[in-house]
Amino acid sequence: MIIPAGYRVLVRADAIETESDGGIILIQDEKLERAAQTNGTLVRIGGSAWDGEKPWAEVGDRVTYIRHSGKPIIDPETNEEFVIINDQDILSIIVEG
């Protein structure tokens, strides 16, 4: 389990599509594409996030965050990939429908 410290939050970045439904290759370098990823799901919130202000995002929200922000990290228990970012790097909540 990864628990973000201080004002950081843990985000599960959206999966990157490498091929279209028709079989067309969409990206050449998945590592570069992952670094430029900007959407994901908020998984955990650090204890000092939003510095006493009312949080504008909650666990489970799909969010947009600043491109190239944060640190990629892999959960050693599940091998799942996440990004730890500063709370202020969340730009918006994605509401579908």
Side-chain angles (χ1 to χ4, degrees), residues 7 30 51 56 61-62 71 76 93:
Y7 55 86
E30 188 172 344
D51 197 26
W56 52 84
D61 285 348
R62 288 202 10 86
K71 166 92 172 106
I93 297 172

Side-chain angles (χ1 to χ4, degrees), residues 8-79:
R8 293 172 184 86
V9 297
L10 187 66
V11 175
R12 180 182 301 112
D14 290 349
I16 296 173
E17 294 186 28
T18 57
E19 191 174 306
S20 74
D21 292 338
I24 297 171
I25 303 295
L26 299 175
I27 61 172
Q28 296 297 319
D29 190 336
E30 188 172 344
K31 192 172 186 178
L32 286 174
E33 189 69 21
R34 180 149 319 277
Q37 180 71 324
T38 59
N39 294 335
T41 302
L42 187 58
V43 177
R44 288 196 182 83
I45 299 172
S48 299
W50 291 286
D51 197 26
E53 296 177 28
K54 184 177 185 263
W56 52 84
E58 299 176 356
V59 170
D61 285 348
R62 288 202 10 86
V63 297
T64 299
Y65 52 92
I66 295 174
R67 184 177 300 251
H68 303 294
S69 68
K71 166 92 172 106
I73 188 167
I74 296 176
D75 186 328
E77 294 176 8
T78 64
N79 218 24

